[in-house]
Amino acid sequence: MMLAALAAAFPAAAQRQHQQQQRVQATPNNDIWLTNAVGIEYAIDPRWTFNFDAQLQIDRDISRLRAFEVRPGFEYALSPKWAAAAGYVQYQRYPAQLHTLRGPFQDLLHRNRFGKIAVVGRLRGEELFFENTALLVRTRALVGIRIPIGESPWEFAFSDEIFVNLKVDGTNRAAGLHQNRTYVGFGRPISEHLRMSAGYELDTYERNGIFRNVHQIRFGVVYKLN
């Protein structure tokens, strides 16, 4: 009887420990992050472009390394305003015991201009595999706008992106609307090939029925190789 009671108690204790670890690792509400992003573009020919994006995130009020993201891919211009892209993404989470997510992504992009105002729309699909064989399939829809500031080289940027989880097998996440990102910032070209940006992003997401806000300070550079 005692052995049976101990055997029953061990899974319950392990589950409580796992839940406690999840609470410790959970992002605090209104946490402040610093995100540094680097983009590299190479035009292969008039229709094909190679893109490489990398992001380094620091969380816990900008005191702890959180994640490193890499996203290489190829873009194909369907027309002057429409393009399709596909590639691979990996989210390396820290501390090291947290899961790594990796898998393919696909984009459908629309770019347009109204005078000097640039508008972009992007529909992205991601199929992310966890180390424990769990699978997350989600779609992301983004709309952004860039507005020149007078005759200066600076421009104002605004974008909003929503995340919808479609398949959540083994991920402990819920299907449906999961996340929203709203960004405001400024950017300007530094040279013919180099462009920089800086801004603020409000990231609101749901996890285990609880909504949290993350305040991200973002810096980015994009370098065109040709």
Side-chain angles (χ1 to χ4, degrees):
M1 292 293 293
M2 183 177 296
L3 291 176
L6 288 173
F10 280 137
Q15 183 177 5
R16 286 194 299 270
Q17 183 178 6
H18 178 68
Q19 291 174 347
Q20 183 178 6
Q21 288 176 348
Q22 283 188 324
R23 287 193 293 270
V24 171
Q25 294 170 356
T27 299
N29 190 32
N30 292 315
D31 196 13
I32 300 175
W33 295 7
L34 173 64
T35 299
N36 296 298
V38 176
I40 298 174
E41 299 179 6
Y42 177 72
I44 301 171
D45 62 27
R47 286 187 175 269
W48 285 98
T49 303
F50 171 74
N51 297 302
F52 180 86
D53 298 318
Q55 289 192 134
L56 183 68
Q57 291 182 329
I58 303 173
D59 68 355
R60 301 299 169 100
D61 292 333
I62 316 180
S63 66
R64 185 190 71 167
L65 178 62
R66 175 182 176 85
F68 180 64
E69 173 188 342
V70 292
R71 188 184 295 271
F74 293 90
E75 180 180 317
Y76 179 75
L78 302 170
S79 71
K81 295 180 180 180
W82 289 91
Y88 167 84
V89 62
Q90 178 166 327
Y91 300 91
Q92 179 61 54
R93 290 288 308 276
Y94 299 96
Q97 66 266 26
L98 297 180
H99 292 303
T100 297
L101 286 73
R102 58 172 65 88
F105 73 91
Q106 311 81 35
D107 290 348
L108 179 64
L109 301 111
H110 178 71
R111 300 183 179 96
N112 208 341
R113 298 192 74 90
F114 301 93
K116 295 183 178 181
I117 299 175
V119 179
V120 62
R122 185 188 70 203
L123 183 63
R124 168 171 290 171
E126 292 179 322
E127 299 80 41
L128 302 175
F129 295 88
F130 291 61
E131 293 175 345
N132 63 352
T133 71
L135 173 62
L136 172 64
V137 179
R138 68 184 182 186
T139 185
R140 302 166 53 171
L142 177 144
V143 175
I145 186 170
R146 300 201 317 268
I147 304 173
I149 301 176
E151 300 301 324
S152 74
W154 291 90
E155 62 183 13
F156 170 77
F158 170 85
S159 67
D160 192 77
E161 183 176 23
I162 62 171
F163 294 64
V164 179
N165 293 339
L166 303 177
K167 186 178 178 66
V168 293
D169 294 356
T171 65
N172 294 323
R173 303 188 186 189
L177 182 63
H178 170 68
Q179 190 173 358
N180 186 85
R181 290 178 177 173
T182 302
Y183 172 84
V184 291
F186 299 90
R188 61 161 295 168
I190 302 300
S191 67
E192 180 183 357
H193 297 284
L194 184 64
R195 180 179 188 82
M196 61 83 64
S197 63
Y200 164 78
E201 182 177 274
L202 175 62
D203 190 349
T204 302
Y205 70 97
E206 179 273 335
R207 182 66 58 84
N208 299 324
I210 299 174
F211 285 88
R212 292 186 175 90
N213 291 320
V214 169
H215 306 279
Q216 292 200 51
I217 302 169
R218 299 185 63 95
F219 296 99
V221 294
V222 176
Y223 185 73
K224 294 185 177 181
L225 296 177
N226 55 2

